[in-house]
Amino acid sequence: MKVNLQDNFSISKLVIGCMRMNEWNFSIEQSVEFVEWCIEQGITTFDHADIYGGNHHNEALFGEVLKMKPQLRNEMEIITKCSICVRNDENPNIKTRYFNTDREYIINQVNKSIEKLNCDYIDLLLIHMHDLLVNPKELNDTLNELRDKGKVRYFGLSNHNPLEFDTLQKYADVKLVTHQFMLHPLGIENYKNGTMTHCLKEGIHPMFWSPLAGGRIFNPTNALEENMKNVLEGIRQELHLEEIDEVIYKWLLMHSSDPIIVLGTGNRERIKRAIHSLGGMQMTREQWYKILIEAGYKLW
């Protein structure tokens, strides 16, 4: 259930995304028990970003788990992201959202994340969005500094296109070990724009966030979404699966780049179905392409 990203660095095939951790309404004790349960299931990787949560405090919520049970740190991999600047308690004067990859900003955000998470280092830091004002040479120096000081072990990107990825990698001494972006049956832009093919070309294991389209898969709001739900239901019946989310997970995981799925949920039943989708009967190529075509992909 592990995917090797580089050398001896592996993360779990399924990752718990903590973007809505503040909405799970767990007590600290419940959060500790949930993290322990995930690790017992083989899900050892937890995905964060400096902006996640009410007033961007989800890293601190997770940090309370490690404060209560610090030994859990040795059993997990922590991912976090930075570069998005938005108004919050720490930056009340920001009026316009923007991206920042300046050395001082990145180092400051990493230090804040480490402090909030109650840990000594970050396993994997992702640059959250592409900064059009990025200085690739300066960013390379920043990443090297974070690595050399033991604050970050590995690096990657989130929400970049292939050209943006290649440009930053050209100047980077460190290998960018993964690329996290959105992919689901209602959003296949990263198939259309070549991002998935780019992952194959570069030997990158992509990470997919929002695999269930933020719940729209289950509660369609238009004809396209209703049609997709019906398509998924038909394939669910053919594969004898419990729910259509298992169909989606199988569809996402079938790509030969050996992807990783970020599960943005604290619902254990949904997590169990995601684990179940890793095995059992796999869908056929025809079923896989049917979902892709119904999502709006033109084969020719």
Side-chain angles (χ1 to χ4, degrees):
M1 200 170 167
K2 289 277 192 175
V3 176
N4 185 45
L5 297 185
Q6 181 176 323
D7 301 329
N8 295 318
F9 178 53
S10 299
I11 65 175
S12 51
K13 184 77 169 172
L14 301 175
V15 170
I16 298 298
C18 298
M19 183 169 67
R20 294 188 173 87
M21 188 175 180
N22 58 305
E23 299 175 9
W24 298 347
N25 296 317
F26 290 170
S27 67
I28 297 302
E29 292 76 14
Q30 289 172 324
S31 293
V32 170
E33 200 273 329
F34 174 73
V35 170
E36 290 178 320
W37 178 83
C38 289
I39 293 173
E40 289 171 1
Q41 309 310 306
I43 302 176
T44 60
T45 310
F46 298 85
D47 178 74
H48 300 269
D50 55 358
I51 65 168
Y52 285 173
N55 279 320
H56 310 155
H57 293 328
N58 279 5
E59 286 180 324
L61 284 177
F62 195 87
E64 291 298 315
V65 172
L66 294 180
K67 184 176 181 180
M68 179 172 284
K69 211 153 189 183
Q71 61 268 35
L72 289 175
R73 179 65 183 97
N74 295 326
E75 302 179 47
M76 66 173 64
E77 302 85 36
I78 292 178
I79 301 171
T80 198
K81 301 180 280 294
C82 65
S83 80
I84 302 177
C85 299
V86 292
R87 184 185 180 93
N88 58 34
D89 286 350
E90 296 174 357
N91 301 292
N93 297 321
I94 291 179
K95 297 178 182 178
T96 301
R97 177 182 297 231
Y98 63 96
F99 306 143
N100 192 345
T101 51
D102 289 349
R103 174 189 173 279
E104 182 179 359
Y105 180 79
I106 294 293
I107 289 177
N108 184 54
Q109 292 306 106
V110 168
N111 287 334
K112 284 182 179 179
S113 292
I114 288 173
E115 180 180 359
K116 289 179 180 180
L117 288 162
N118 272 307
C119 62
D120 296 325
Y121 65 93
I122 303 299
D123 290 286
L124 177 59
L125 176 70
L126 307 180
I127 301 302
H128 207 163
M129 300 291 290
H130 181 65
D131 176 15
L132 290 169
L133 297 177
V134 65
N135 181 328
K137 294 181 180 179
E138 179 184 342
L139 180 60
N140 175 57
D141 292 342
T142 303
L143 301 188
N144 282 333
E145 180 177 344
L146 290 169
R147 180 196 58 190
D148 294 344
K149 289 185 175 180
K151 294 185 177 182
V152 179
R153 295 181 63 201
Y154 297 93
F155 302 90
L157 302 179
S158 181
N159 305 310
H160 289 61
N161 65 38
L163 178 59
E164 293 162 351
F165 192 106
D166 286 345
T167 300
L168 295 184
Q169 183 63 85
K170 176 181 177 180
Y171 289 90
D173 296 325
V174 299
K175 177 176 172 57
L176 302 173
V177 300
T178 190
H179 189 186
Q180 185 180 116
F181 48 84
M182 183 189 71
L183 190 68
H184 53 71
L186 297 177
I188 59 167
E189 184 59 30
N190 286 304
Y191 268 116
K192 294 180 176 179
N193 65 16
T195 299
M196 288 299 294
T197 301
H198 178 261
C199 288
L200 276 179
K201 172 178 173 285
E202 297 301 322
I204 296 166
H205 300 287
M207 302 176 66
F208 302 146
W209 60 268
S210 193
L212 304 180
R216 287 184 293 132
I217 292 288
F218 304 103
N219 301 292
T221 59
N222 56 47
L224 175 65
E225 294 173 1
E226 184 69 40
N227 177 66
M228 180 57 71
K229 183 179 180 181
N230 292 335
V231 168
L232 294 170
E233 172 60 22
I235 295 175
R236 182 199 69 78
Q237 294 179 23
E238 293 170 1
L239 296 177
H240 307 290
L241 298 173
E242 183 180 347
E243 298 287 348
I244 61 174
D245 53 350
E246 291 185 66
V247 179
I248 296 169
Y249 298 139
K250 286 182 179 294
W251 182 74
L252 291 170
L253 293 170
M254 194 167 167
H255 193 266
S256 56
S257 60
D258 196 13
I260 298 153
I261 293 180
V262 181
L263 303 170
T265 181
N267 184 308
R268 297 193 193 197
E269 291 306 311
R270 185 165 292 169
I271 294 170
K272 286 179 183 177
R273 290 199 296 272
I275 294 171
H276 184 257
S277 71
L278 296 176
M281 183 185 298
Q282 299 303 303
M283 64 176 56
T284 65
R285 281 177 176 263
E286 184 176 358
Q287 290 168 332
W288 189 90
Y289 270 102
K290 181 172 180 57
I291 293 172
L292 188 73
I293 292 167
E294 295 294 340
Y297 191 93
K298 295 186 183 301
L299 297 185
W300 61 71

